[in-house]
């Protein structure tokens, strides 16, 4: 019962096999490897974006922070949700890589931005001329940090607000595959056709060993990105091992199959919990993460039985009256089985 995060899962055999296959002979370094050329072509085809530039890094934090550094000068601000990963989980890397830009946090239920709230935040910023931080960029996470998703139309509506202020739009797609599978949108519809300028295209949470792609739909900043990646220490020397993972991930739609499995497992868990009087869903389950509250005594039994997940927020205690509901985050991955889900449900039910 492993629900702590999707990054606790192992690597699917197709990706590990690709790494082993790449481990023959010599390959040019720093992204000049032959497999990177395949990855570039595959991403351009997948996104119907022949001019896009594609770069690989090893963490989502690097992908996000480097992307935002292209879009937002040091004296400007990135508008994002208050629960955005760039705000809560990146230890000020976006601020560091942008050279000190600010994040402006926008509220919204289920970790989703609304066009109205975004417009209000952007409109409020920078009214005082030289004294204010300036408007820089918008960052949208899909799937969100609370397991919800934006449809392509919803992304377009947010981008339209940004466009009214001439702001570029970044998408944190650490769980991009989960969002696509959930909405049925094509990669193009969810990104450049919906006004996204730069995408952090996640691999690791959905099964890769450690690789994320940065996709620049406007190649104008490509050289600048290369310089920033190198300067930031994120240009891999033995790059073929990043390329091999990403190539295998994209091949034959593996990335979408992995995400579909994770989303299905989460839907099963969510429906099972929703059917119980003693449990309550805290956010709609639209991708691969389930947020629910259930009694402390059930958490104690689950954790005693070895179930792994986080109490969310993390500062809740298992000590105390057993009937008090505690909230938890349970994340499914490409290898979550129905048996694991059913075992956790049985414990929460008290079977
Ligand atoms: C995990 C995650 C990332 C990337 O995190 P790293 O630990 O730096 O790889 C980025 N955005 C979201 C929404 C995430 O969940």
């Amino acid at each position: 019962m492993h629900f702590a995060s999707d990054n606790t899962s192992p690597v699917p055999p197709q990706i590990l096999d690709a790494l082993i296959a790449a481990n023959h002979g010599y390959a040019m370094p720093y992204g000049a490897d032959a497999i990177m050329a395949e990855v570039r072509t595959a991403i351009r085809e997948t996104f119907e974006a022949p001019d896009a530039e594609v770069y690989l890094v090893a963490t989502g934090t690097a992908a996000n922070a480097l992307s935002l550094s292209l879009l937002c000068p040091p004296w400007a601000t990135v508008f994002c949700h208050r629960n955005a990963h760039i705000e809560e989980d990146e230890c000020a890397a976006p601020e560091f890589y942008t050279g000190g830009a600010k994040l402006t946090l926008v509220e919204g239920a289920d970790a989703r931005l609304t066009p109205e709230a975004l417009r209000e935040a952007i409109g409020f910023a920078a009214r005082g001329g030289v004294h204010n931080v300036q408007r820089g960029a918008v960052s949208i996470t899909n799937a969100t940090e609370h397991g919800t998703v934006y449809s392509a139309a919803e992304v377009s509506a947010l981008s339209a607000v940004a466009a009214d202020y001439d702001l570029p739009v970044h998408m944190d797609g650490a769980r991009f595959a989960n969002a696509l599978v959930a909405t049925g949108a094509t990669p193009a519809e969810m990104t450049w056709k919906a006004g996204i300028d730069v995408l952090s295209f996640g691999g690791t949470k959905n099964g890769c060993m450690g690789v994320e792609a940065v996709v620049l739909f406007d190649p104008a900043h490509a050289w600048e990105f290369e310089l920033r990646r190198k300067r930031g220490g994120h240009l891999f020397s033995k790059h073929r091992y990043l390329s091999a993972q990403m190539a295998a991930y994209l091949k034959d739609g593996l990335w979408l199959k992995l995400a579909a499995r994770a989303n299905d497992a989460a839907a099963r868990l969510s429906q099972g919990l929703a059917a119980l009087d003693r449990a309550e869903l805290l956010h709609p389950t639209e991708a691969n993460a389930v947020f629910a509250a259930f009694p402390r005594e059930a958490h104690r039994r689950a954790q005693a039985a070895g179930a792994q997940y986080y109490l969310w927020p993390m500062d809740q205690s298992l000590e105390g009256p057993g009937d008090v509901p505690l909230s938890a985050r349970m994340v499914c991955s490409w290898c979550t089985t129905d048996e694991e889900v059913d075992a956790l449900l049985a414990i929460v039910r008290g079977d």
Side-chain angles (χ1 to χ4, degrees):
M1 294 177 283
H2 295 277
F3 301 96
S5 178
D6 29 12
N7 61 12
T8 64
S9 66
V11 176
Q14 296 93 325
I15 293 173
L16 208 53
D17 289 349
L19 280 165
I20 292 166
N23 194 38
H24 281 288
Y26 293 81
M28 293 304 279
Y30 300 117
D33 53 294
I35 310 175
M36 184 58 205
E38 284 174 38
V39 167
R40 197 176 291 114
T41 302
I43 289 195
R44 286 173 176 167
E45 285 174 358
T46 300
F47 283 86
E48 304 170 57
D51 298 328
E53 282 300 347
V54 182
Y55 298 104
L56 302 182
V57 293
T59 70
T61 299
N64 285 342
L66 287 168
S67 295
L68 291 170
S69 75
L70 289 183
L71 303 181
C72 187
W75 48 83
T77 189
V78 177
F79 298 91
C80 64
H81 194 277
R82 94 125 38 249
N83 297 123
H85 199 270
I86 58 172
E87 156 66 7
E88 294 203 322
D89 294 291
E90 298 189 358
C91 198
E95 292 89 332
F96 178 68
Y97 279 87
T98 55
K102 185 178 158 83
L103 302 183
T104 296
L105 308 181
V106 184
E107 302 288 341
D110 304 318
R112 290 157 48 95
L113 296 167
T114 62
E116 297 72 31
L118 181 62
R119 185 178 297 282
E120 192 184 333
I122 299 175
F124 188 80
R127 294 158 308 138
V130 73
H131 304 288
N132 293 161
V133 72
Q134 301 297 297
R135 298 166 180 138
V138 171
S139 181
I140 305 172
T141 310
N142 208 13
T144 74
E145 289 77 2
H146 285 169
T148 53
V149 300
Y150 297 98
S151 67
E154 289 169 327
V155 174
S156 290
L158 293 170
S159 297
V161 174
D164 284 346
Y165 293 90
D166 275 333
L167 302 184
V169 186
H170 163 253
M171 179 173 278
D172 176 351
R175 298 191 177 91
F176 185 74
N178 304 90
L180 270 200
V181 166
T183 57
T186 67
E189 287 165 351
M190 189 57 92
T191 56
W192 61 271
K193 287 186 178 175
I196 300 298
D197 297 291
V198 178
L199 170 69
S200 299
F201 177 69
T204 307
K205 293 260 168 72
N206 195 29
C208 292
M209 186 177 283
V211 66
E212 316 277 312
V214 174
V215 185
L216 307 180
F217 294 105
D218 175 359
H221 292 298
W223 178 237
E224 182 183 338
F225 185 90
E226 293 195 36
L227 296 172
R228 286 183 177 276
R229 178 178 60 167
K230 175 67 188 182
R231 180 172 180 263
H234 283 283
L235 174 57
F236 263 53
S237 161
K238 282 191 166 171
H239 189 282
R240 69 168 126 166
Y241 299 100
L242 294 187
S243 310
Q245 296 177 64
M246 188 52 76
Y249 184 63
L250 293 165
K251 190 162 179 255
D252 301 328
L254 176 66
W255 60 300
L256 296 171
K257 292 175 201 161
L258 298 171
R261 174 61 216 148
N263 285 10
D264 286 350
R268 184 181 184 92
L269 179 58
S270 177
Q271 284 155 18
L273 289 170
L276 303 180
D277 285 341
R278 53 183 7 219
E280 184 197 355
L281 291 181
L282 302 173
H283 303 291
T285 305
E286 296 173 349
N288 65 321
V290 180
F291 291 77
F294 48 88
R296 182 185 268 133
E297 59 84 15
H299 287 289
R300 283 202 282 250
R301 285 186 288 104
Q303 308 236 335
Q308 294 183 356
Y309 58 83
Y310 290 111
L311 295 177
W312 204 270
M314 291 183 184
D315 57 357
Q316 302 169 89
S317 172
L318 287 176
E319 308 295 322
D323 57 345
V324 173
L326 303 182
S327 51
R329 185 192 78 162
M330 290 149 287
V331 188
C332 298
S333 76
W334 69 272
C335 68
T336 306
T337 62
D338 287 351
E339 290 70 30
E340 275 180 280
V341 169
D342 293 347
L344 181 58
L345 286 171
I347 293 172
V348 178
R349 265 198 314 266
D351 291 2

